[in-house]
Amino acid sequence: MGTMHRSGAPRRTNENAKLIITTIVGVVFGFFIGITLPSVSFRKINFTSGLISSLDVAMSDGKLFSGGRSPEDFGSREFPKIYVPTNPHGAELLPPGIIVAETDFYLRRLWGEPSEDLKKKPKYLVTFTVGFEQRNNINAAVKKFSEDFQILLFHYDGRTTEWDQFEWSKKAIHISAKKQTKWWYAKRFLHPDVVSAYEYIFIWDEDLGVEHFNAERYIELVKKHGLEISQPGLEPNNGLTWEMTKRRGDRDVHKETQEKPGWCSDPHLPPCAAFVEIMAPVFSREAWRCVWHMIQNDLVHGWGLDFALRRCVEPAHEKIGVVDSQWIIHQVIPSLGNQGESEQGKSPWQGVRERCRNEWTLFQNRVAEADRKYIEQHKVKE
């Protein structure tokens, strides 16, 4: 042990000397680099101050502008005097080539080339107005739609993030406003210029059973039979109100029916034809552009709208119909009624139902008054 101790001492002394020399050389080299590069700017190496700071630096260096041009060059360029009366209202001062009058719900990245954002553009839009309590039913429904269908959820209970337990929810669009109906949402978020990218728009309730429904086949039949406004057939005796929407087992599509005696003065008019209900309608892009304008801002339940849909397509009895072979079940879950409030001793659902009936009367009166005014104005001109 004594021999080993004596032989190790010179070795440790040499190692310490090397360490000291290396440290001195490093300090001298660093000092030399520092005094020979005094003008190096570290402004661009800013990884902690966020995207805005980086943009500020790039702007100050003119790096956001091609051809070496500075912000001053772009901002001081004189634009030609333009006035195009055929441009969209409010955009008359812009050159037509820069106007983008329509948009979509396509999700885009925050990086990369914009032209490479979308691997596939959905062709159709499917909307559900939902509460989290119906998540399993909505999960089953969404699985019936392929990547050709963009999913949009309107949340009437304010619960949105919990839906991320479903993988598809992370690619869906979520819009939340408490205690609102699907027609309130549709009027405010489904403007025709917003949904113009989609061939068909589904505006569905949350309580629909879709075990016997195939979305791709449904679209095929709608196109084949020229339906601009449609709905799947309803399983008989399950939430059925009108004979027109009752599923027929002997055909793919029907466009007319027989109702109770005295209900149809004309076999081509509602509720015997040119009619679908408002629980699960599907609109073509062109039909929706008309229907959207007919929805009233303050009449949120949409009652009476189904009888007026025929005004948006001609001939209505040929372009409105029910797809029988792709049918659904109306589960009749009164979830929206429970969103009401008790007043004057009435339960929440009673107050909601009374407003529905009142809105139906108001809508009918407004349509009749609008027709009357139109006729009077044109009589004066004649």
Side-chain angles (χ1 to χ4, degrees), residues 180-181 183-184 278 295-305 336 351-367:
Q180 299 303 317
T181 72
W183 298 109
W184 183 93
I278 59 174
I295 299 172
Q296 308 290 290
N297 284 324
D298 58 333
L299 306 185
V300 298
H301 291 288
W303 278 40
L305 187 63
L336 189 60
V352 171
R353 180 52 62 98
E354 284 185 6
R355 172 151 179 167
C356 289
R357 294 194 181 101
N358 184 42
E359 286 193 7
W360 192 352
T361 300
L362 288 171
F363 182 74
Q364 288 176 317
N365 291 341
R366 290 182 189 181
V367 172

Side-chain angles (χ1 to χ4, degrees), residues 214-361:
N214 181 292
E216 302 285 354
R217 179 58 178 157
Y218 185 92
I219 293 294
E220 290 177 7
L221 290 170
V222 163
K223 291 181 177 180
K224 177 181 177 180
H225 292 272
L227 299 180
E228 298 290 327
I229 301 175
S230 64
Q231 74 161 77
L234 294 177
E235 173 66 12
N237 303 319
N238 284 277
L240 185 67
T241 303
W242 307 100
E243 285 295 319
M244 178 64 187
T245 57
K246 180 178 179 180
R247 171 188 173 242
R248 298 183 183 180
D250 60 348
R251 65 195 67 190
D252 285 333
V253 168
H254 75 269
K255 300 179 181 180
E256 58 184 29
T257 191
Q258 295 290 324
E259 264 291 356
K260 297 178 178 63
W263 278 30
C264 298
S265 59
D266 187 322
H268 289 164
L269 295 179
C272 288
F275 176 81
V276 296
E277 293 189 69
I278 59 174
M279 74 177 71
V282 180
F283 302 94
S284 71
R285 177 169 42 212
E286 294 76 16
W288 178 246
R289 184 167 290 277
C290 172
V291 172
W292 182 89
H293 285 88
M294 192 164 49
I295 299 172
Q296 308 290 290
N297 284 324
D298 58 333
L299 306 185
V300 298
H301 291 288
W303 278 40
L305 187 63
D306 41 12
F307 278 80
L309 293 176
R310 62 190 175 93
R311 304 183 73 119
C312 287
V313 291
E314 292 182 343
H317 66 279
E318 290 292 338
K319 295 188 176 182
I320 299 178
V322 175
V323 179
D324 298 288
S325 61
Q326 303 303 316
W327 48 283
I328 59 176
I329 297 175
H330 188 201
Q331 298 167 342
V332 199
I333 299 173
S335 53
L336 189 60
N338 294 333
Q339 297 294 309
E341 294 183 1
S342 298
E343 290 183 348
Q344 300 176 348
K346 298 177 182 178
S347 63
W349 71 266
Q350 285 179 312
V352 171
R353 180 52 62 98
E354 284 185 6
R355 172 151 179 167
C356 289
R357 294 194 181 101
N358 184 42
E359 286 193 7
W360 192 352
T361 300

Side-chain angles (χ1 to χ4, degrees), residues 20-33:
I20 293 171
I21 292 172
T22 301
T23 302
I24 294 172
V25 171
V27 171
V28 171
F29 180 76
F31 176 76
F32 175 77
I33 293 296

Side-chain angles (χ1 to χ4, degrees), residues 9 23 37 75 80 140 143 169 187 196 199 208 225 242 246 270 274 320:
T23 302
L37 299 174
K143 289 180 178 179
S169 174
K187 185 64 174 180
S196 63
E199 294 180 40
L208 303 176
H225 292 272
W242 307 100
K246 180 178 179 180
I320 299 178

Side-chain angles (χ1 to χ4, degrees), residues 35-326:
I35 64 175
T36 56
L37 299 174
S39 61
V40 172
S41 171
F42 292 94
R43 290 182 304 158
K44 294 181 183 177
I45 308 177
N46 185 0
F47 299 107
T48 59
S49 58
L51 179 62
I52 299 301
S53 296
S54 299
L55 278 174
D56 289 341
V57 171
M59 283 288 290
S60 65
D61 289 344
K63 299 300 184 182
L64 290 184
F65 298 88
S66 61
R69 295 164 60 191
S70 69
E72 290 78 10
D73 293 334
F74 187 81
S76 62
R77 181 172 72 84
E78 288 192 15
F79 293 132
K81 297 297 182 181
I82 293 174
Y83 186 84
V84 184
T86 55
N87 280 355
H89 178 65
E92 292 86 356
L93 301 181
L94 298 177
I98 197 59
I99 292 175
V100 181
E102 300 173 339
T103 187
D104 53 63
F105 286 114
Y106 299 152
L107 295 176
R108 294 187 175 274
R109 307 173 300 174
L110 305 184
W111 65 94
E113 290 293 328
S115 60
E116 299 174 358
D117 284 347
L118 304 174
K119 295 181 180 179
K120 187 173 186 178
K121 291 183 178 181
K123 299 177 183 178
Y124 319 107
L125 179 66
V126 181
T127 76
F128 294 97
T129 301
V130 302
F132 190 65
E133 295 301 319
Q134 300 303 320
R135 60 190 177 277
N136 292 328
N137 198 54
I138 293 298
N139 181 47
V142 168
K143 289 180 178 179
K144 290 289 186 174
F145 297 93
S146 69
E147 290 185 353
D148 282 331
F149 298 79
Q150 173 70 61
I151 303 299
L152 191 163
L153 299 187
F154 296 126
H155 300 270
Y156 62 73
D157 61 356
R159 301 172 68 179
T160 59
T161 56
E162 291 128 305
W163 287 83
D164 280 352
Q165 65 182 263
F166 305 114
E167 191 62 29
W168 56 261
S169 174
K170 299 173 184 178
K171 298 180 180 180
I173 306 296
H174 298 264
I175 297 176
S176 177
K178 289 186 176 181
K179 297 188 176 184
Q180 299 303 317
T181 72
K182 72 177 182 181
W183 298 109
W184 183 93
Y185 285 111
K187 185 64 174 180
R188 287 149 184 84
F189 299 103
L190 300 183
H191 187 280
D193 289 343
V194 173
V195 300
S196 63
Y198 308 100
E199 294 180 40
Y200 293 92
I201 299 99
F202 293 63
I203 304 181
W204 281 18
D205 289 354
E206 63 181 338
D207 58 343
L208 303 176
V210 294
E211 181 181 353
H212 306 283
F213 178 81
N214 181 292
E216 302 285 354
R217 179 58 178 157
Y218 185 92
I219 293 294
E220 290 177 7
L221 290 170
V222 163
K223 291 181 177 180
K224 177 181 177 180
H225 292 272
L227 299 180
E228 298 290 327
I229 301 175
S230 64
Q231 74 161 77
L234 294 177
E235 173 66 12
N237 303 319
N238 284 277
L240 185 67
T241 303
W242 307 100
E243 285 295 319
M244 178 64 187
T245 57
K246 180 178 179 180
R247 171 188 173 242
R248 298 183 183 180
D250 60 348
R251 65 195 67 190
D252 285 333
V253 168
H254 75 269
K255 300 179 181 180
E256 58 184 29
T257 191
Q258 295 290 324
E259 264 291 356
K260 297 178 178 63
W263 278 30
C264 298
S265 59
D266 187 322
H268 289 164
L269 295 179
C272 288
F275 176 81
V276 296
E277 293 189 69
I278 59 174
M279 74 177 71
V282 180
F283 302 94
S284 71
R285 177 169 42 212
E286 294 76 16
W288 178 246
R289 184 167 290 277
C290 172
V291 172
W292 182 89
H293 285 88
M294 192 164 49
I295 299 172
Q296 308 290 290
N297 284 324
D298 58 333
L299 306 185
V300 298
H301 291 288
W303 278 40
L305 187 63
D306 41 12
F307 278 80
L309 293 176
R310 62 190 175 93
R311 304 183 73 119
C312 287
V313 291
E314 292 182 343
H317 66 279
E318 290 292 338
K319 295 188 176 182
I320 299 178
V322 175
V323 179
D324 298 288
S325 61
Q326 303 303 316

